[in-house]
Amino acid sequence: MPSPHTERHARPLASRALLALLPLALLTAGTAQAQECERGALDAIYCDENGDMVADRPADEAQWADPDTLIFAYTPVEDPAIYSDIWQPFIDHLEEVTGRDVRFFAVQSNSAQVEAMRSGRLHIAGFSTGPTPFAVNLAGAVPFALMGSDDGRFGYTLQLYTHVDSDIEEVTDLKGKRVAHTSPTSNSGNQAPRALFPELGIVPDEDYEVVYSGSHDQSMLGVVARDYDAAPVASEVVERMAARGLYDPDDVRLLYESDSFPTTSYNHAHNLHPELVEKIKEAFFSFEFEGTELGEEFEGVEKFIPINYAEHWKVIRTIQNANGVEYTPDNLQ
């Protein structure tokens, strides 16, 4: 029989559907005013006086958030219900260390996730690589951890796949083809290919047709089904798909692989009480992956490792800058 503790986490948030639908302007109306301060690329409701590129905690202690229930969200995935179960051991650990109730919020899109943190409804979140700068600049997210190995290694690569029986042998053979990118803000699924492929002799949208699939999962499955001629995807996603038997690796062929990028960033909201932030970090950095569903899902990951946005997301900001990306709600998809 499931315990009351388990049943409490199995119930979805009542506001989930509402959060997914409310536009950014409505969620944030009246929540904050523009401030006169140094802020760099941050939205006008945030300040960055110390120059670390993330939002400062409000100077007024009355504005510090110290909720009894913490809302945690992982990056949008094809089947959120599966990840709710996978994250449960960590959520239990987070509750134990912080002394707070913790609820898993299954977000449906990057924009809904960013909107939720900006509105104060989301306190801790894993943002995908590409959307992380949007979360930092639009929602006051503060990246502090990544999944990595005991020796501090972390990251994933952009991999370009085609069907094993296709006539595409190298990157330049993509000319005239139909290629699945995931979404405009995705790093490996769109931004990195647009920045890196021209050096390989192929320009997206000019040399081949870009079709947005919506996710890495759909891109990969589309290649297998031959709905797309090829697709750039994140290595960590397709590895997990293969491990779950969602596709047969023998049905595809690797055309190209990039250098490593940082993986999903784990963030806290900028306005959380500092003592709560320390407890949240303690929970992340003391969690043991071995023997848990989370450890089985993220093969090769052994712990959360500390990071800072200015250093570890520099390569991503460079790629996005090369693509003319501006951190606005309209550009977040």
Side-chain angles (χ1 to χ4, degrees):
M1 178 180 294
S3 67
H5 180 78
T6 301
E7 290 178 348
R8 171 165 56 79
H9 287 293
R11 291 195 299 268
L13 291 176
S15 61
R16 178 179 301 165
L18 178 63
L19 261 178
L21 295 173
L22 287 176
L24 183 61
L26 180 58
L27 281 174
T28 59
T31 58
Q33 300 294 324
Q35 304 178 60
E36 292 299 327
C37 59
E38 295 295 326
R39 63 174 53 89
L42 299 177
D43 187 87
I45 64 174
Y46 307 115
C47 292
D48 178 25
E49 296 289 4
N50 62 4
D52 63 358
M53 305 187 77
V54 298
D56 298 335
R57 183 178 292 111
D60 183 358
E61 294 186 19
Q63 296 180 23
W64 294 353
D66 197 13
D68 293 330
T69 299
L70 296 173
I71 309 302
F72 170 80
Y74 181 56
T75 181
V77 290
E78 195 64 26
D79 190 346
I82 292 177
Y83 277 85
S84 178
D85 294 335
I86 288 172
W87 277 99
Q88 193 59 52
F90 174 77
I91 289 174
D92 292 340
H93 180 68
L94 184 59
E95 285 193 323
E96 182 179 353
V97 175
T98 63
R100 315 293 172 96
D101 288 336
V102 180
R103 302 288 180 87
F104 184 89
F105 173 36
V107 295
Q108 303 302 316
S109 67
N110 293 318
S111 58
Q113 189 180 23
V114 169
E115 288 165 7
M117 181 165 281
R118 179 178 170 107
S119 70
R121 298 175 184 237
L122 178 60
H123 308 115
I124 309 166
F127 288 103
S128 297
T129 304
T132 288
F134 286 86
V136 167
N137 290 290
L138 296 177
V142 180
F144 66 90
L146 284 176
M147 289 181 179
S149 61
D150 281 335
D151 61 7
R153 289 181 293 110
F154 63 85
Y156 73 101
T157 61
L158 153 63
Q159 294 180 333
L160 177 65
Y161 284 95
T162 189
H163 192 275
V164 66
D165 295 328
S166 85
D167 59 356
I168 301 171
E169 299 295 335
E170 54 189 40
V171 177
T172 52
D173 293 335
L174 293 178
K175 290 184 177 181
K177 302 296 186 180
R178 192 167 182 262
V179 180
H181 286 206
T182 59
S183 63
T185 58
S186 173
N187 179 62
S188 56
N190 185 56
Q191 295 291 336
R194 290 184 182 279
L196 300 178
F197 283 6
E199 297 179 0
L200 304 176
I202 201 82
V203 179
D205 275 330
E206 294 183 14
D207 294 323
Y208 66 73
E209 179 188 359
V210 172
V211 181
Y212 289 113
S213 70
S215 71
H216 296 273
D217 308 55
Q218 291 300 323
S219 287
M220 201 63 180
L221 295 176
V223 169
V224 172
R226 308 197 77 165
D227 294 331
Y228 310 120
D229 295 306
V233 289
S235 61
E236 60 176 356
V237 176
V238 296
E239 287 166 4
R240 292 200 298 271
M241 290 178 66
R244 292 203 301 269
L246 298 180
Y247 79 98
D248 186 345
D250 290 338
D251 288 338
V252 297
R253 179 158 38 84
L254 181 66
L255 293 171
Y256 166 81
E257 185 169 21
S258 72
D259 292 334
S260 292
F261 304 119
T263 58
T264 297
S265 64
Y266 293 90
N267 303 251
H268 64 78
H270 80 292
N271 63 334
L272 295 186
H273 193 289
E275 292 180 3
L276 176 57
V277 169
E278 289 308 309
K279 285 294 185 181
I280 291 170
K281 290 182 178 180
E282 178 185 341
F284 271 82
F285 298 134
S286 63
F287 180 72
E288 297 182 0
F289 279 78
E290 187 175 359
T292 69
E293 290 184 74
L294 201 60
E296 293 174 3
E297 176 69 11
F298 294 94
E299 187 176 355
V301 169
E302 294 158 311
K303 65 180 182 180
F304 288 102
I305 58 177
I307 57 146
N308 71 77
Y309 174 72
E311 175 186 351
H312 293 96
W313 251 256
K314 182 177 180 180
V315 62
I316 305 304
R317 295 193 304 271
T318 299
I319 288 172
Q320 292 179 340
N321 182 63
N323 284 290
V325 172
E326 295 182 357
Y327 303 122
T328 66
D330 289 341
N331 291 332
L332 178 60
Q333 299 181 34

